[in-house]
Amino acid sequence: MITEIYDRPGKPLMQNSQHVVIIGAGIIGAASAFQLLEAGQRVTLIEPGVPGDEQASSYGNAGWLSSHSVLPPASPGVWMQVPKWLADPLGPLAVRWKYFPKALPWLVRYLAAAWTYPQVERTAQALRSLLKDAATLHQTMAERAGVADLIERRGLLHAFLSRTHFEQDAKAWAIRKKEGIQWQELDAPTLHALEPDLDPRYTFGVLVPETGSCRNPGAYTAALVRHAQSRGATVLQTQATGFRIEEGRLKAVLTSQGEVLCDRAVIAAGARAKALALAAGDWVSLESERGYHAVLTSPKAFARVPTMFADCKVIVNTMEQGLRVAGQVEIAAADDIPDWRRAEILRAQLMTLYPGLPRDSGADQFKLWMGRRPSTPDGLPCLGLATGSRDIVHAYGHGHVGLVSSARTGRLVAQLATGQKPEISLKPFSPQRFQSGFNN
Ligand SMILES: Cc1cc2nc3c(=O)[nH]c(=O)nc-3n(C[C@H](O)[C@H](O)[C@H](O)COP(=O)(O)OP(=O)(O)OC[C@H]3O[C@@H](n4cnc5c(N)ncnc54)[C@H](O)[C@@H]3O)c2cc1C
């Protein structure tokens, strides 16, 4: 039997205030709650776990507020790597054999979406509109939530083995330049003056000053949710299962504990959003792109500036919990057991990247984690109104850039839910863009 579990009078509200239910309290749900409350709406968050805890991708990411991360995950010619992805289960990008048939349509779209450089440029333009000013937007939000100390503005560093390696990536950097992104190039002495603990094999660096980083993404997410609660939001610890829609108008969100009556809903369930999107009338291409981290809890060497290593595609960031190395892409079912050998690879890489780390830093000094990036094949999130009811907002699929893009996503969600014109064009992010062609 369905019970109505929510209909409480909220705090005094602005005129035309609506009750908005947000499904999922990861960073996208938390930032949406922040902005909806700013817009005078009444908010309920539905989350089966603890907000910002280990079940969320938002817990364990690399903390990069990388407003320059505008390139899609695939690139022209990357299809040649597919046999390698299948043959090497422990490579930086791998597809589990038994999941391959299921993932195939997504993989085909993934390759097709970045087949040519003009396509990549269009994606970069769209992502830039979402990511621009991200570090400043996060600073403002963190200050308001009382956790300004979690956001740092030291820029972000890319470390290359040599200038030649950087030049091999010239096309990608040219696309960034076209989007107005500026950087500083560092020769070996400057790089090592900035990062004295770095492996001397790295002799060239690129510093992107407009960016920032988060010292504890899980705590940041949790703080935004606590802030929302202090402004009258309710958190219900349950799972959303669908919607009650009557004549195109949303009446309630269905949960495993009953109905939650509401005027609007936001799907912010990360990698698990697909079934809810379908219940809202839209089929979307969404995979869980699993990633891992290893944290050395008491590091004796560290990264002064969060650093991406171009050759091994990992990010190292000194966080509240210790020295975190994050990376790896594994296409596998969301609920498949983690392959901890991947996190062990990250652990071993960390030891070589910072040779000052004691050789006896054993496995017991590391904390390992696996997370699920909510990934669309074209690297663009789904942001827009649902086909089944214009009262439902899609807000998921942020893949590798969910933390950095969450600040503007929250604003866009509030604009969509309150009927305002979105501050950027949402055409490239249309949740309906996958509805032609093959499905999985
Ligand atoms: C290793 C790694 C490194 C990364 N590094 C970065 C980085 O440096 N910078 C960056 O910008 N991004 C990074 N990302 C990506 C980023 O973490 C994600 O894009 C982002 O966290 C997605 O946020 P989300 O709120 O959509 O999803 P999540 O954080 O996964 O939150 C979704 C929430 O929805 C809840 N939920 C699921 N189903 C339901 C349901 N039916 N009902 C109610 N609630 C539900 C879940 O419990 C969860 O708490 C990284 C990811 C990984 C894995």
Side-chain angles (χ1 to χ4, degrees):
M1 194 183 85
I2 290 173
T3 43
E4 291 176 3
I5 58 173
Y6 184 87
D7 197 11
R8 75 174 177 84
K11 298 193 338 169
L13 296 162
M14 279 168 61
Q15 233 183 350
N16 302 326
S17 159
Q18 321 166 91
H19 178 210
V20 186
V21 169
I22 301 171
I23 303 170
I27 193 63
I28 299 295
S32 300
F34 180 96
Q35 296 296 349
L36 283 161
L37 287 157
E38 289 285 298
Q41 308 302 299
R42 190 150 54 109
V43 169
T44 296
L45 281 146
I46 297 183
E47 166 61 56
V50 174
D53 213 0
E54 295 196 19
Q55 80 287 350
S57 186
S58 304
Y59 168 83
N61 59 54
W64 261 34
L65 300 177
S66 46
S67 41
H68 67 303
S69 287
V70 295
L71 296 162
S75 54
V78 78
W79 60 270
M80 286 183 273
Q81 311 276 338
V82 175
K84 206 166 96 189
W85 298 345
L86 287 166
D88 180 5
L90 297 178
L93 194 158
V95 185
R96 286 208 187 171
W97 263 111
K98 70 172 191 249
Y99 195 65
F100 183 65
K102 182 93 185 17
L104 187 59
W106 185 94
L107 284 167
V108 173
R109 286 177 192 271
Y110 170 89
L111 298 176
W115 200 257
T116 65
Y117 277 103
Q119 282 174 294
V120 172
E121 283 181 19
R122 280 197 294 278
T123 301
Q125 208 175 10
L127 277 178
R128 183 64 173 166
S129 69
L130 189 63
L131 303 185
K132 203 163 179 235
D133 305 324
T136 307
L137 296 178
H138 279 286
Q139 262 181 323
T140 308
M141 209 158 56
E143 265 164 33
R144 295 281 308 279
V147 287
D149 59 310
L150 291 182
I151 307 296
E152 288 186 334
R153 296 297 300 269
R154 292 192 204 155
L156 295 171
L157 181 65
H158 293 253
F160 295 87
L161 290 166
S162 68
R163 178 178 256 286
T164 312
H165 286 87
F166 166 67
E167 284 163 0
Q168 283 163 359
D169 216 9
K171 277 200 170 126
W173 287 95
I175 292 170
R176 291 192 178 105
K177 192 172 210 164
K178 215 169 153 184
E179 291 308 319
I181 294 158
Q182 296 181 352
W183 63 87
Q184 294 161 12
E185 297 181 8
L186 314 179
D187 60 12
T190 319
L191 174 64
H192 287 276
L194 183 70
E195 284 295 346
D197 293 336
L198 185 66
D199 181 349
R201 285 183 309 128
Y202 291 88
T203 61
F204 190 76
V206 169
L207 183 71
V208 188
E210 66 168 49
T211 56
S213 63
C214 179
R215 297 177 60 225
N216 188 340
Y220 179 39
T221 305
L224 290 177
V225 172
R226 271 200 313 278
H227 175 73
Q229 286 177 290
S230 75
R231 298 191 66 194
T234 301
V235 178
L236 295 177
Q237 195 164 25
T238 185
Q239 190 166 7
T241 53
F243 304 97
R244 178 156 64 85
I245 299 169
E246 291 173 8
E247 293 172 3
R249 297 312 305 259
L250 176 68
K251 299 295 173 188
V253 170
L254 312 181
T255 79
S256 37
Q257 291 174 28
E259 284 193 353
V260 184
L261 301 179
C262 59
D263 306 299
R264 299 279 187 273
V266 180
I267 306 173
R272 299 189 189 272
K274 190 167 177 158
L276 290 162
L278 204 54
D282 292 308
W283 181 89
V284 294
S285 184
L286 185 75
E287 274 296 336
S288 125
E289 219 186 316
R290 293 149 43 124
Y292 292 78
H293 85 209
V295 177
L296 178 59
T297 43
S298 313
K300 301 251 173 352
F302 58 95
R304 273 75 178 166
V305 178
T307 304
M308 152 90 78
F309 291 85
D311 55 325
C312 49
K313 310 235 175 309
V314 300
I315 294 176
V316 177
N317 195 349
T318 309
M319 296 203 160
E320 281 193 337
Q321 297 97 326
L323 192 61
R324 178 176 295 180
V325 55
Q328 297 270 338
V329 168
E330 181 188 43
I331 310 290
D335 291 320
D336 244 0
I337 52 164
D339 184 347
W340 292 118
R341 289 176 303 172
R342 296 187 151 274
E344 295 293 345
I345 291 171
L346 293 174
R347 184 167 77 86
Q349 280 168 332
L350 183 68
M351 302 305 287
T352 64
L353 298 172
Y354 295 86
L357 292 172
R359 299 297 97 188
D360 58 354
S361 302
D364 56 321
Q365 291 172 50
F366 282 86
K367 194 170 176 295
L368 309 182
W369 172 82
M370 190 274 288
R372 302 167 184 86
R373 300 178 189 91
S375 294
T376 61
D378 55 12
L380 298 169
C382 294
L383 290 171
L385 301 178
T387 302
S389 169
R390 312 294 283 168
D391 301 328
I392 302 174
V393 178
H394 295 267
Y396 50 82
H398 296 73
H400 292 241
V401 292
L403 173 65
V404 53
S405 60
S406 59
R408 179 156 285 108
T409 294
R411 290 157 64 111
L412 292 164
V413 164
Q415 288 153 8
L416 285 168
T418 57
Q420 289 173 57
K421 187 172 183 288
E423 65 191 47
I424 61 170
S425 165
L426 292 185
K427 212 163 155 229
F429 309 109
S430 165
Q432 288 81 29
R433 68 189 184 275
F434 305 111
Q435 283 174 11
S436 58
F438 42 84
N439 292 352
N440 63 359

